[in-house]
Amino acid sequence: MPARRIERQLQRARLFRRRAFILMSLPALLAFGPGLTTRADAEPVHGIAMHGAPKYPADFQAFDYVNPEAPKGGSLTLPMVGTFDSLNPFIIRGQAPSGLRDYVFESLMARSRDEPFTLYGLIAKTIDLSEDGRAVTFTLDPRARFADGQRITPEDVAFSWEVQRDQGRPNLRIYYRKVERVEQPSPDRVRFILEDGDDRELPLVLALMPILPKHRYDNGRFEVTSLELPLGSGPYVVASIRPGAEITYARNPDYWGRDLAVNLGRFNFDQIRIVYFRDSNAAFESFKKGLVDILFENDPTRWMRGFNFPAANRGDVLKESFATGLPAPLTAFVFNTRRAPFSDIRVREALLKLFNGAWINRNFYFDQFVRTDSYFAGSELSAAGRPAGAAERALLAPFPSAVRSDILDGSYRLPDGSESGRDRESRKAALDLLEAAGFTIRNSQLVNGATGLPFSFELLTTTQEMERLALAYSRNLASLGITARIRQVDSSQFQTRLQSYDFDVAHNVWQNSLSPGNEQEFYWGSYGVDHPGTRNYMGANERAIDALIARMVAATSRDELISATRALDRVLMSGIYVVPLFHAPGQWVARWTRIAHPKTTPLFGYQLDSWWRMPGL
């Protein structure tokens, strides 16, 4: 898409958000109290929290959830389902392997995993945020180096911002175009001048921006899709690859940041090897043979019945479930509302009712899974089952038709179906909705009453597990004369079709944090309706969504953020954009006992970068 058109669309989106923010300001202020506060920071500080103060003081030694005495050395082999065809994770073209952003490329600051959203110094040793929120200044650590030994400079930071703003992934373009300019006031300082001081999250978003070496990625090299080995400043370098099949990271013995408090007890393996498999069954077989060290499981059948093999029976393999305070991932079949008939909410609600969750959970998952009932399920951010409070109602007042009454009062429940598999009540309600939308049954087939065309669509999947679930769903749909053609494609084709919105219905997973903000625009914002590459796969185009996202990023307290997020959750649930599926009650991980981990599990769940290999094993 031409750059000018993208810029015009972004300007329109920003203008709309500003108008939406103004529209919502009066009721929001009435709900939240007399006025908004600003951050005061007379001196540069070592850390910054989205709300409140950082947990750790300036002289902290290590995070509480790591083992500072963890032994270094050995290797870790991990399985991954899928493939890759590029080593550039920053552009939309190509599929990059796992680990590049975690191990090779660093940001200005590092995130604590036992706080909702708090950052501490990494490449930047301090951060200084102006009282009006319009300027954020980072002072770089003079020790910071790229893996080739060259010092990281303010020029590298400015280049990283500019090139990702203009040529990076759509979400990065959206974030970084909110910066008016970048200044370099001294050889070790870089300052971002922001267009809007009310976007309280943007300074933290900039602090998490990956920093790239200008001398490597300038002159058009940033946007090249290739398998050229990347250059970053992180604890590992890419040692070798087998295209599409395997990537190996080697710990950099000259890593500049190994003694920083944010890194102590982390990055303990000398080598991390990620092996790609076509499906999870192949990955499991490899794990059973000891060819990979850790298995991240999400199949209840395997979890309940699959670990009866010699190594597990003699105790060499352990199963663990890690608790997490994060919102559960939203796994769902997503409707592409850009296409008929999914543009009709009555059709979407009918298809939601025809998903028999109770029968699937019993027969596929041994009742071990939990139905996902919210976009922020299982957390304090979820609106499911909660009546809207005064603050939420004030936020939603300008959009009286955006939320269903039963979702507003907390009485709404997902259609659960019947364990018998024969849910006549839901089937009748679905048929009434479809008839109201203009469909009728003729010769046992549901057709458009006006055109006579059958109700038929393609459901896109990329794994055998999801294909099995889709087939079960298609049988329920067939009982009402609807034909759902299940198509399983490889991961590269799947991602390409998702990013170009080339699908009817598709499986997808959204991950949300405890401090949602600017990424919500990338997930659900109206900019993504006709701009490929966002995660607004459903094509949501709702004024209330854009306005509530603006309120989320401007929230000055945790309570404000919770109210704005719950209000957004209600709008998204009311739109019936997805058929929510299930999530595990915890993070299921199996490991060979040669791999160990700290005793403490933080708010975000297990942290693989703090694990280690037992010496001699």
Side-chain angles (χ1 to χ4, degrees):
M1 180 173 295
R4 287 185 180 178
R5 184 180 174 193
I6 291 176
E7 178 60 28
R8 287 197 300 269
Q9 293 290 340
L10 284 166
Q11 288 174 350
R12 288 173 57 195
R14 287 195 289 268
L15 178 61
F16 175 79
R17 286 193 300 275
R18 288 173 181 167
R19 289 174 176 170
F21 183 86
I22 293 171
L23 176 65
M24 300 185 73
S25 291
L26 180 58
L29 290 174
L30 292 174
F32 289 141
L36 300 174
T37 60
T38 59
R39 293 190 187 94
D41 52 334
E43 298 292 335
V45 292
H46 73 292
I48 183 171
M50 181 67 192
H51 301 110
K55 169 183 175 179
Y56 295 95
D59 60 351
F60 83 100
Q61 299 301 305
F63 292 129
D64 290 345
Y65 53 86
V66 305
N67 175 11
E69 305 300 325
K72 304 284 187 181
S75 64
L76 174 69
T77 301
L78 300 173
M80 186 67 60
V81 175
T83 186
F84 66 91
D85 56 11
S86 169
L87 293 182
N88 186 342
F90 304 114
I91 60 175
I92 192 172
R93 294 188 303 277
Q95 180 75 17
S98 176
L100 287 174
R101 185 64 181 86
D102 301 311
Y103 303 133
V104 175
F105 295 100
E106 290 183 309
S107 51
L108 291 166
M109 305 186 78
R111 190 166 190 164
S112 163
R113 299 297 176 176
D114 56 355
E115 301 169 81
F117 195 6
T118 303
L119 308 179
Y120 298 90
L122 184 57
I123 290 175
K125 61 181 181 180
T126 62
I127 181 173
D128 182 355
L129 183 62
S130 65
E131 292 188 6
D132 64 2
R134 288 288 311 281
V136 57
T137 304
F138 298 95
T139 301
L140 305 187
D141 192 317
R143 299 168 293 178
R145 297 288 190 278
F146 293 111
D148 62 357
Q150 292 206 32
R151 181 177 174 179
I152 301 176
T153 67
E155 188 176 10
D156 292 307
V157 177
F159 165 77
S160 300
W161 163 73
E162 183 177 13
V163 75
Q164 293 178 82
R165 177 200 64 185
D166 296 340
Q167 302 169 24
R169 288 183 171 273
N171 59 321
L172 302 180
R173 300 186 193 193
I174 291 172
Y175 303 156
Y176 300 156
R177 285 179 185 268
K178 298 178 181 180
V179 175
E180 287 186 357
R181 66 183 184 276
V182 175
E183 301 173 346
Q184 300 177 39
S186 70
D188 64 345
R189 298 168 72 219
V190 59
R191 177 177 297 130
F192 294 87
I193 306 301
L194 314 182
E195 68 176 19
D196 184 359
D198 289 324
D199 189 339
R200 296 170 53 85
E201 189 191 40
L202 186 56
L204 284 79
V205 170
L206 292 170
L208 289 176
M209 178 176 66
I211 304 304
L212 312 174
K214 181 177 180 180
H215 63 276
R216 172 65 176 275
Y217 292 103
D218 202 1
N219 300 319
R221 298 187 68 189
F222 171 82
E223 57 182 338
V224 174
T225 301
S226 76
L227 293 173
E228 181 183 14
L229 299 186
L231 175 64
S233 63
Y236 291 86
V237 297
V238 176
S240 64
I241 64 167
R242 285 196 299 123
E246 183 179 310
I247 183 168
T248 300
Y249 300 95
R251 189 144 56 89
N252 181 3
D254 300 319
Y255 173 48
W256 73 272
R258 60 181 175 272
D259 296 325
L260 296 178
V262 293
N263 288 332
L264 198 64
R266 302 172 63 204
F267 310 120
N268 301 311
F269 299 100
D270 285 342
Q271 184 182 89
I272 299 175
R273 178 170 160 260
I274 300 177
V275 181
Y276 280 78
F277 296 90
R278 179 174 177 80
D279 57 56
S280 60
N281 287 329
F284 182 57
E285 291 302 318
S286 183
F287 174 75
K288 287 166 61 177
K289 296 174 183 177
L291 301 179
V292 298
D293 297 306
I294 296 174
L295 187 75
F296 312 102
E297 189 55 82
N298 57 14
D299 184 337
T301 302
R302 268 200 304 266
W303 191 249
M304 297 293 292
R305 297 183 174 181
F307 283 80
N308 186 22
F309 55 92
N313 293 334
R314 64 175 178 261
D316 292 336
V317 167
L318 298 178
K319 293 166 55 182
E320 296 178 283
S321 180
F322 294 89
T324 171
L326 293 174
L330 174 61
T331 303
F333 292 136
V334 54
F335 302 116
N336 187 353
T337 65
R338 302 170 186 85
R339 296 183 175 182
F342 308 109
S343 54
D344 191 322
I345 193 171
R346 295 168 297 186
V347 171
R348 302 197 299 270
E349 184 173 5
L351 296 185
L352 173 62
K353 289 182 178 296
L354 290 172
F355 183 83
N356 195 331
W359 184 89
I360 287 175
N361 199 13
R362 168 63 59 87
N363 289 276
F364 283 24
Y365 304 137
F366 302 93
D367 286 330
Q368 293 297 303
F369 269 15
V370 178
R371 185 78 186 274
T372 307
D373 59 359
S374 158
Y375 285 69
F376 304 90
S379 75
E380 64 179 351
L381 302 173
S382 172
R386 290 187 171 107
E392 287 183 71
R393 291 177 183 271
L395 290 171
L396 292 167
F399 313 101
S401 62
V403 177
R404 293 168 44 140
S405 60
D406 55 351
I407 291 178
L408 190 66
D409 66 23
S411 63
Y412 174 77
R413 298 293 184 271
L414 281 173
D416 197 33
S418 168
E419 291 182 357
S420 69
R422 296 181 297 274
D423 185 9
R424 294 183 177 87
E425 182 178 343
S426 292
R427 187 172 180 272
K428 174 62 168 61
L431 182 57
D432 290 343
L433 286 164
L434 291 166
E435 288 179 343
F439 291 90
T440 187
I441 294 179
R442 294 178 186 168
N443 300 321
S444 301
Q445 189 173 39
L446 192 71
V447 300
N448 186 304
T451 66
L453 294 176
F455 191 154
S456 175
F457 65 91
E458 181 183 81
L459 202 166
L460 195 65
T461 71
T462 189
T463 66
Q464 289 184 351
E465 290 84 1
M466 199 50 56
E467 181 186 39
R468 184 176 67 139
L469 185 60
L471 287 170
Y473 183 32
S474 71
R475 288 192 289 270
N476 281 354
L477 297 173
S479 70
L480 214 59
I482 300 172
T483 300
R485 305 181 307 278
I486 312 304
R487 184 175 183 188
Q488 182 182 349
V489 298
D490 64 51
S491 59
S492 293
Q493 183 180 357
F494 184 79
Q495 288 301 319
T496 298
R497 291 190 59 180
L498 275 185
Q499 290 172 353
S500 61
Y501 313 137
D502 180 21
F503 66 92
D504 296 326
V505 180
H507 162 249
N508 190 59
V509 181
W510 287 271
Q511 301 277 354
N512 266 310
S513 74
L514 284 170
S515 185
N518 279 281
E519 82 287 346
Q520 299 297 299
E521 182 179 353
F522 186 59
Y523 287 179
W524 335 110
S526 59
Y527 172 80
V529 173
D530 54 7
H531 287 81
T534 76
R535 293 183 187 170
N536 184 1
Y537 300 127
M538 64 275 288
N541 189 14
E542 170 63 59
R543 293 173 59 245
I545 291 176
D546 291 327
L548 288 165
I549 293 171
R551 288 303 315 172
M552 290 165 69
V553 299
T556 61
S557 70
R558 184 70 184 170
D559 286 343
E560 287 185 25
L561 177 66
I562 291 172
S563 293
T565 306
R566 288 181 183 172
L568 174 65
D569 195 22
R570 296 183 199 277
V571 175
L572 290 169
M573 287 193 292
S574 297
I576 314 181
Y577 298 113
V578 301
V579 176
L581 301 179
F582 305 87
H583 61 270
Q587 296 174 323
W588 291 344
V589 181
R591 62 181 170 90
W592 285 77
T593 54
R594 57 183 176 253
I595 305 299
H597 60 73
K599 295 180 179 179
T600 301
T601 301
L603 186 66
F604 281 57
Y606 70 85
Q607 298 299 303
L608 200 60
D609 61 24
S610 67
W611 294 23
W612 64 89
R613 192 179 189 96
M614 298 295 290
L617 298 180

